Amino acid sequence: MPELPEVEIHARYLREWLAGKSIADYTVYDPKLLDGADSAFWDAALRGSRVLGIRRTAKYLLIDLTDAPEGENTPRWTLVVHLRMTGKLVYDAYVAESLSKWTRLSLFLTENGEPAGRLRFEDIRRFGRVWVVPTEQVFELPELASLGPDALQQPSSAERLKELCAGVRRPIKVLLMDQTALGGLGNICAIEVLHRVGVSPAIPACQVPEDRLEAIARTIPEYLEWAISAQERRKLIYLGEPGAVNVFGIYARAGEPCPRCGTTIVRTVLGGRGTFHCPACQPMLVDAS
DNA sequence: CTTATCCCCTGCCGGC
DNA sequence: TGCCGGCAGGGGATAA
């Protein structure tokens, strides 16, 4: 159920796992992974290509590949991965390790011509998706073309947020989660950021005071950086998994006291998603004066 | 155009 | 113990 921090951590792990490796072959166990997407490039891209690098944009992972000879390092193919709700990538040093019932895809790796393990795509709910496209056209993929600026790499300025919110009546939380507005924030990040800045998630975006929009703009990258570094230090991927640093101030804490003021946390639904806020710290109406 | 609702899937949890 | 509804951090399609 990854949001930007988990996807970024995946990207960092992939850089370690795949450095200097090639993809010798692949197996798709669940055709739903492609969801009818064009598979024309799969064989060319995933049989004998070198891994050149890993990028992340919003919640998408981009694995750049080339089938050109050693020395020519312009990517030709990009494997695009979206983990959606329950996806994750797992590296097995030895292919002998068994697959799970949730394995959707295997990439068989080599290094210097020798077998070098396997990268597995695991996905319980099967919402995850994978595309293979020519690198030059990767951002023409509709899913990528519609994304707003990455919330971490190109954090939105207060000015941009003000423009995004102008005249928009839907709740500020729904706007923050809109991937065409800014790429990468999910339900938890939106909830936690709004709690930190003391803004009710239900306030129409156009009614959020300017100084709160400035606070939101500052807090988004702060929260993301903090969540990423907290996870990375512990070699974990998923926020909230056992042993993880607790980055949930109020998420999934309905009925518990607000960590800041002690008021009972409330659960509501916004944009069809479970939403948590503190009615005292995050009032509906903020005094603009 | 904007906004709301449903759908895709499987697993888990609490209540009865 | 078993069944059932509700819920889950994703986004897309569709309807109003």
Side-chain angles (χ1 to χ4, degrees), chain A residues 84-96:
Chain A
R84 292 281 172 89
M85 291 286 267
T86 53
K88 63 177 165 182
L89 293 165
V90 181
Y91 176 68
D92 300 323
Y94 302 99
V95 173

Side-chain angles (χ1 to χ4, degrees), chain A residues 17 46 80 86 95 144 170 172 178 183 201 221 280:
Chain A
W17 295 335
L46 302 181
V80 180
T86 53
V95 173
L144 299 185
R170 64 178 167 162
I172 181 66
D178 181 345

Side-chain angles (χ1 to χ4, degrees), chain A residues 13-288:
Chain A
Y13 290 163
L14 286 170
R15 287 180 194 122
E16 294 176 25
W17 295 335
L18 300 183
K21 293 197 172 71
S22 294
I23 298 171
D25 204 351
Y26 69 96
T27 302
V28 176
Y29 307 99
D30 180 5
K32 191 172 160 33
L33 189 65
L34 281 75
D35 193 31
D38 189 357
S39 62
F41 304 124
W42 277 62
D43 286 358
L46 302 181
R47 288 191 167 141
S49 287
R50 288 179 290 126
V51 177
L52 294 179
I54 314 295
R55 293 180 281 169
R56 179 196 60 76
T57 185
K59 299 170 196 168
Y60 292 82
L61 287 164
L62 278 57
I63 301 173
D64 290 316
L65 306 162
T66 185
D67 48 5
E70 202 77 32
E72 194 179 318
N73 289 332
T74 304
R76 291 172 69 166
W77 309 104
T78 300
L79 177 64
V80 180
V81 178
H82 198 305
L83 304 167
R84 292 281 172 89
M85 291 286 267
T86 53
K88 63 177 165 182
L89 293 165
V90 181
Y91 176 68
D92 300 323
Y94 302 99
V95 173
E97 292 173 40
S98 60
L99 299 175
S100 83
K101 64 187 278 196
W102 300 296
T103 308
R104 309 289 168 209
L105 170 72
S106 281
L107 301 178
F108 300 98
L109 306 171
T110 56
E111 186 166 13
N112 301 320
E114 299 294 319
R118 169 180 65 201
L119 190 69
R120 265 188 290 144
F121 187 99
E122 299 282 312
D123 188 9
I124 293 171
R125 289 177 72 181
R126 305 170 67 201
F127 290 160
R129 293 291 178 268
V130 176
W131 303 259
V132 175
V133 292
T135 303
E136 285 185 0
Q137 289 147 38
V138 67
F139 289 105
E140 292 166 30
L141 196 66
E143 285 79 359
L144 299 185
S146 60
L147 290 173
D150 186 86
L152 187 63
Q153 289 162 4
Q154 305 149 292
S156 290
S157 63
E159 290 309 312
R160 182 163 185 282
L161 270 190
K162 289 172 193 171
E163 287 169 23
L164 282 173
C165 292
V168 172
R169 280 197 299 278
R170 64 178 167 162
I172 181 66
K173 183 215 173 200
V174 175
L175 178 88
L176 293 179
M177 289 177 64
D178 181 345
Q179 302 297 296
T180 68
L182 57 168
L185 285 201
N187 202 30
I188 294 174
C189 293
I191 288 169
E192 297 297 338
V193 165
L194 289 172
H195 180 247
R196 287 185 170 209
V197 301
V199 171
S200 167
I203 298 180
C206 58
Q207 290 176 23
V208 178
E210 288 202 358
D211 75 311
R212 292 299 85 198
L213 290 179
E214 289 159 10
I216 289 170
R218 283 194 307 271
T219 303
I220 287 171
E222 276 174 19
Y223 178 82
L224 294 173
E225 294 279 10
W226 173 69
I228 292 165
S229 62
Q231 291 293 103
E232 191 174 40
R233 276 200 305 279
R234 303 211 175 185
K235 294 286 168 199
L236 295 169
I237 290 179
Y238 277 80
L239 307 183
E241 71 178 291
V245 175
N246 182 21
V247 294
F248 301 165
I250 58 169
Y251 174 75
R253 297 190 179 282
E256 296 180 37
C258 168
R260 194 190 305 149
C261 75
T263 303
T264 302
I265 301 296
V266 173
R267 179 184 185 277
T268 58
V269 175
L270 284 177
R273 312 296 296 275
T275 302
F276 302 86
H277 78 287
C278 168
C281 294
Q282 298 170 268
M284 264 307 286
L285 297 173
V286 180
D287 186 357

